[in-house]
Amino acid sequence: MHINDIIDNIYPLPEKSKALLKENIYEVNYPKAHVLFKVNRIESKMYFIEKGMVRAYANPGDEEITFWFGKEGDAVVSMKNYVQNKKGYETIELLESCVMRELNTEHLRKLFDDDIHIANWGRKFAEQELIKVEERLIFRQCRTAMERYKELMATDPELLQRVQLGHIASYLGMTQVSLSRIRSGLK
Amino acid sequence: MHINDIIDNIYPLPEKSKALLKENIYEVNYPKAHVLFKVNRIESKMYFIEKGMVRAYANPGDEEITFWFGKEGDAVVSMKNYVQNKKGYETIELLESCVMRELNTEHLRKLFDDDIHIANWGRKFAEQELIKVEERLIFRQCRTAMERYKELMATDPELLQRVQLGHIASYLGMTQVSLSRIRSGLK
DNA sequence: GCAAAAATTTTACAAATGATAAAAATTAGT
DNA sequence: ACTAATTTTTATCATTTGTAAAATTTTTGC
């Protein structure tokens, strides 16, 4: 997916604004297992995934909670870094080797103050993500483990192909053993 | 809490922008149990709570999942309405009689396009809410029911005073019976 | 292609939480 | 203040999910 489409999918930007935004964006390539954001660090970076897959997880050391997957077309940020310039609660690592575009978020902050279209682009990005997480929080609570797995099979079968089951289990809020039990029961 | 402080707490606005925003804001008073947003409806409204308490819940009819509480200083929206102009997945009702300020969000959308400060105000609002929900989703998964209750006691004891336990239980992702059991075990 | 590592499944058991129903306590309305 | 309605607690039992460890399968690196 091309960077122009990724940007416009979030919120269509006029050419001038897009050019401004792209001034500080450059391509990066990282191998599988590379870490983009490390927990408890402040990074002034944002990435757009042109090719590949990443995951965000919290609580490393203790137990990893995978709470987000990113793939082609997604923007990758560590929320606390991005929003509050504070230490992130998550680690974000590559699940596949990736082609991405990197953007400096300090630069982005300046653009938010100068360009109303980019400000609204940033607004839309946060708003869309917000809805996704809120729906996920609700959904998590009112469905059983099996329902959650079935729903994922129905809505995002690709994820099951590309991501190992241990991460899927965590993402669905269950243990790997539980997921395995559910999968075998469905056959 | 005064409307000026509520607005500035989200993101400090210059006087001119604040005046623009306040042009279409007016005071409303509703009694306990009044419904601000009904599930599956589109409402072009947003509220700021000066006094009182509200809750948002999803899945009415089947089982209510309380996923958000709002009190003095909070902004109240139905996310799908607000962001995508689509039917909301939640119902929002008053838990106490409230003094609020009502804002038309169609008007707000125009302001987003015209005033960069207001656009950034909207961005900040979504971003802050996003972090809260994301942290809640993670926290929910890596703590036991008792840990979640203890955490709430520590971080927001006021909520336990003002809101009935059935709603608290749902908010914490457990049944009321479970919460009651936990409470009695702590004595 | 083979050995080592990693991921997944399986099994057995334990613990936490849910469902249901009923009693007790609290709150609200007249 | 009294009754009805609502909320909270208690008790019992069923079920889901987690933990731990071993067996199996798949993936990876040389």
Side-chain angles (χ1 to χ4, degrees):
Chain A
M1 196 168 202
H2 191 273
I3 180 68
N4 282 326
D5 298 323
I6 299 177
I7 290 172
D8 283 337
N9 268 359
I10 292 171
Y11 184 78
L13 279 184
E15 280 312 314
K16 247 188 182 168
S17 301
K18 206 188 297 176
L20 267 176
L21 189 59
K22 284 171 69 181
E23 255 176 23
N24 253 42
I25 293 184
Y26 52 94
E27 185 176 324
V28 289
N29 285 269
Y30 290 117
K32 183 172 171 167
H34 175 82
V35 170
L36 288 178
F37 297 94
K38 207 158 192 152
V39 64
N40 283 329
R41 293 253 187 92
I42 301 181
E43 298 273 3
S44 303
K45 299 280 171 59
M46 177 173 191
Y47 299 89
F48 302 95
I49 307 177
E50 292 198 336
K51 180 86 196 66
M53 185 113 212
V54 311
R55 73 164 178 133
Y57 63 95
N59 241 31
D62 185 359
E63 184 203 3
E64 290 181 6
I65 313 279
T66 297
F67 64 90
W68 184 81
F69 292 111
K71 67 175 178 196
E72 290 80 15
D74 285 326
V76 188
V77 294
S78 171
M79 273 301 154
K80 279 257 182 180
N81 292 180
Y82 171 72
V83 173
Q84 304 174 336
N85 214 25
K86 288 183 182 163
K87 292 177 182 175
Y89 44 73
E90 72 271 73
T91 296
I92 305 186
E93 65 164 19
L94 306 207
L95 297 177
E96 305 169 354
S97 71
C98 286
V99 181
M100 294 178 296
R101 301 275 170 158
E102 183 181 308
L103 166 64
N104 184 293
T105 53
E106 280 171 37
H107 179 240
L108 180 60
R109 275 192 200 104
K110 280 179 210 136
L111 294 179
F112 283 153
D113 291 334
D114 292 341
D115 185 300
I116 191 170
H117 303 107
I118 297 179
N120 277 306
W121 177 87
R123 178 175 61 82
K124 270 295 158 194
F125 170 61
E127 287 174 353
Q128 303 288 7
E129 290 301 312
L130 175 50
I131 286 189
K132 282 188 232 162
V133 190
E134 199 167 86
E135 285 187 313
R136 223 151 80 67
L137 182 73
I138 294 165
F139 179 76
R140 170 75 58 89
Q141 191 164 338
C142 60
R143 308 287 173 203
T144 65
M146 183 182 288
E147 286 168 338
R148 301 201 297 272
Y149 175 67
K150 280 184 177 171
E151 165 87 7
L152 188 70
M153 280 204 307
T155 59
D156 197 354
E158 191 201 353
L159 198 69
L160 292 167
Q161 299 302 317
R162 289 175 77 176
V163 177
Q164 67 190 54
L165 291 169
H167 298 151
I168 299 274
S170 172
Y171 180 74
L172 291 174
M174 63 187 82
T175 61
Q176 178 159 12
V177 174
S178 242
L179 178 56
S180 187
R181 186 158 35 199
I182 285 164
R183 281 163 57 85
S184 78
L186 288 178
K187 274 169 212 156
Chain B
M1 197 169 201
H2 190 272
I3 180 67
N4 282 325
D5 298 323
I6 299 177
I7 291 172
D8 284 336
N9 267 359
I10 292 171
Y11 183 78
L13 280 184
E15 280 313 314
K16 248 187 183 169
S17 301
K18 206 187 297 174
L20 268 176
L21 190 59
K22 284 170 68 180
E23 254 176 25
N24 254 44
I25 294 184
Y26 52 96
E27 185 176 324
V28 290
N29 285 268
Y30 290 117
K32 182 171 173 171
H34 175 81
V35 171
L36 288 178
F37 297 94
K38 209 160 190 148
V39 65
N40 283 329
R41 294 253 188 92
I42 302 181
E43 297 275 4
S44 303
K45 299 282 173 58
M46 177 173 190
Y47 298 89
F48 302 95
I49 307 176
E50 292 197 338
K51 181 83 196 68
M53 187 114 211
V54 311
R55 74 164 178 133
Y57 64 95
N59 243 32
D62 185 0
E63 184 203 3
E64 289 181 5
I65 312 279
T66 298
F67 63 90
W68 184 79
F69 292 112
K71 66 175 180 197
E72 290 81 16
D74 285 326
V76 187
V77 294
S78 170
M79 273 300 154
K80 279 256 182 180
N81 290 182
Y82 172 71
V83 172
Q84 304 174 335
N85 214 26
K86 288 182 183 164
K87 290 177 183 176
Y89 44 74
E90 73 271 72
T91 296
I92 306 186
E93 66 164 19
L94 307 206
L95 298 177
E96 304 170 354
S97 71
C98 286
V99 181
M100 295 179 296
R101 302 275 171 158
E102 183 180 307
L103 167 63
N104 183 293
T105 53
E106 281 170 37
H107 179 240
L108 180 59
R109 274 191 201 107
K110 281 180 210 136
L111 294 179
F112 283 154
D113 291 332
D114 292 341
D115 185 301
I116 191 169
H117 302 106
I118 296 179
N120 277 305
W121 177 87
R123 178 175 61 83
K124 270 294 158 194
F125 170 61
E127 287 174 353
Q128 304 288 6
E129 291 300 313
L130 175 51
I131 287 189
K132 282 188 232 163
V133 190
E134 197 167 86
E135 285 186 314
R136 224 151 81 67
L137 182 73
I138 295 166
F139 179 76
R140 169 74 58 89
Q141 190 164 338
C142 60
R143 309 286 172 202
T144 64
M146 184 182 288
E147 285 168 339
R148 301 201 297 273
Y149 175 66
K150 279 184 177 170
E151 165 86 8
L152 188 70
M153 280 204 308
T155 58
D156 197 353
E158 190 200 355
L159 197 68
L160 292 167
Q161 298 303 317
R162 290 176 76 177
V163 177
Q164 67 189 56
L165 291 170
H167 298 151
I168 299 274
S170 172
Y171 180 74
L172 291 175
M174 65 187 82
T175 61
Q176 176 159 11
V177 175
S178 240
L179 177 58
S180 188
R181 184 158 39 199
I182 285 164
R183 282 163 55 86
S184 78
L186 289 178
K187 274 170 211 156

